[in-house]
Structures are given as structure tokens and as C-alpha cells.
Amino acid sequence: MTGMLASVANLAEARLAAAAGADIIDLKAPRFGALGALPVSEVRLIVTELRGQRPISATVGDLPMCPSTVFAAVQEMAATGVDYVKIGFFPEGDWDGTLEILRSMAAAGVSLVAVLFADQPAELDWLPRLAKAGFAGAMLDTMDKDRGSLTEVRDAEFLRAFVNQAQAHGLLCGLAGSLRARDIVPLRELAPDYLGFRGALCHGARRVAEIDVNALQYIRAMLHASTATA
């Protein structure tokens, strides 16, 4: 069954998402970029209050693919106690070196999720390499939120291949990227493990708007309705 990931920017939003039944509470700061990171102190506060209620993920920020920089950020975020640490694989930089340096962290039990970007070259051959490095999951998102939703950036054939290959290699698979209610049914048919939402949960500009509980409940109901009828 496809679950719902709700991206939240503070404790108040995290409480709303948990109460509304979001399957994963995802901590990020949209005002700082596609994968903007919340302060570690705030992440720790949210984890302390919501630990055990829902799985919690957190991004480490829009970082250059510099192995030592990414490693330090992942190490710091993992220490907060989140269930998953999300790392954006941004264009250019040292992807191989970053993957290699994170092997030890994955081996130590940190659940790492790689975020690849559909509006950038997102080669599917990275999926087996992520699995071999010990990553727990792979997510397909978008960098430029003004280009439209994931379904407008990539065709169904590519999205299906991403989901199938990720799951074939034992990776938890998520799809996100300016998703709206209209995207739920076609993406649910691909059977990803979860769909990620932020803008659809807010009224107003994604980067500054706050989550609206009615929008959150509506998206969750849509997702579960499509699941029930699939």
C-alpha cells in the first residue's frame, strides 16, 4: 500500500501531520531550497515529541556533493534520532566519493535515503549502486518546483522504471515533486512505497505557506481512496 509522506517545516506542522495520519513525517525547510534543512536543534525537539508515533525523516540541505561535507551533515542529522536521513544527489560534484564515504554510516545502521532529481539527469543505473552501498531507500523529486509536478517532468514509463528498479534492489521507493491531488491516482498505480507532498498541503506559496489541516486530510483521503479502489 502506498503511504503518504508529509513534509513539515516546524513542530506545529509535525503535530498536525501526525494527528492527520501521515505515514512519514518529513522535516525540511522549503525556504532554503528543494531539500532545505531544519536546524538540528529543531529536528531533535520534534523527534523527542513524536518518536514512536510515526517514522520521521529529515533532509541535510542543498549541499554540494563533497564527500566530507555530506558525511558531516549526515552524521549530525543522524544523531538527532530521526528514522531516515535524506541526501540530495545534486548535479556535478563527487557522487562516487560521496557514496563511498557514506557506506560506513549505512553499515553502522543509519537509514539513508538518496534523493535523485527528475528534472536533472537521473540515471537509473545509480539505483543498484545505492543498494550496494547500503542505502535504505531512493526518492525521485524535482529541484525546480516551478516547472510543474513530477508527472509533467517525466513520463509514466520512466517513473515506472524508477519504482520497479528501486524495489527490485530492495530500496524503499518514494515519488515527490510538486505533487497535487490529480497526480495521486496515476502515481499510485505505479505502486511506490510512498508519495511525498508539501505544496498540496498548503494554501499559498510553497516556500512560505503553512500546512492547512483540511488540505492535509483531503490529500490523505484521496491517497487512501485510490488505494482502496486499486
Side-chain angles (χ1 to χ4, degrees):
M1 182 176 69
T2 300
M4 175 185 177
L5 177 148
S7 290
V8 303
N10 52 52
L11 177 57
E13 290 188 348
R15 288 169 173 160
L16 285 177
D23 298 290
I24 299 178
I25 309 299
D26 180 54
L27 311 182
K28 69 165 68 171
R31 64 188 183 278
F32 295 139
L35 294 179
L38 288 178
V40 168
S41 58
E42 189 166 1
V43 172
R44 188 175 290 111
L45 180 67
I46 295 170
V47 169
T48 298
E49 178 166 329
L50 298 182
R51 188 194 304 272
Q53 295 186 34
R54 295 287 188 277
I56 300 173
S57 63
T59 66
V60 296
D62 289 12
L63 300 177
M65 296 303 288
C66 170
S68 60
T69 299
V70 173
F71 183 88
V74 171
Q75 188 174 49
E76 185 177 35
M77 192 59 74
T80 65
V82 294
D83 297 286
Y84 299 100
V85 180
K86 292 168 57 183
I87 305 109
F89 277 63
F90 288 90
E92 303 179 348
D94 186 358
W95 284 36
D96 289 300
T98 300
L99 201 60
E100 186 62 33
I101 202 172
L102 291 175
R103 284 178 184 271
S104 62
M105 200 164 293
V110 178
S111 294
L112 305 175
V113 175
V115 181
L116 303 178
F117 295 102
D119 48 354
Q120 299 293 321
E123 301 299 336
L124 298 179
D125 61 7
W126 276 92
L127 294 173
R129 299 172 70 177
L130 291 168
K132 188 174 181 180
F135 273 62
M139 184 172 186
L140 192 63
D141 203 335
T142 57
M143 281 181 60
D144 185 352
K145 305 303 180 183
D146 295 327
R147 285 186 58 183
S149 73
L150 180 69
T151 57
E152 295 171 300
V153 172
R154 288 282 186 165
D155 61 30
E157 182 178 357
F158 179 87
L159 299 179
R160 186 180 301 278
F162 182 89
V163 171
N164 290 345
Q165 292 189 35
Q167 293 176 340
H169 288 94
L171 296 167
L172 184 71
C173 178
L175 300 177
S178 298
L179 300 186
R180 299 292 174 178
R182 64 178 178 270
D183 298 309
I184 291 175
V185 171
L187 292 182
R188 172 63 184 81
E189 291 176 354
L190 305 180
D193 295 296
Y194 63 90
L195 296 179
F197 299 89
R198 172 66 191 180
L201 309 180
C202 304
H203 287 307
R206 169 186 178 274
R207 292 190 177 184
V208 297
E210 296 181 351
I211 281 182
D212 178 85
V213 66
N214 293 323
L216 198 156
Q217 291 172 342
Y218 174 72
I219 291 295
R220 184 179 183 278
M222 284 283 295
L223 179 57
H224 282 244
S226 67
T227 299
T229 57

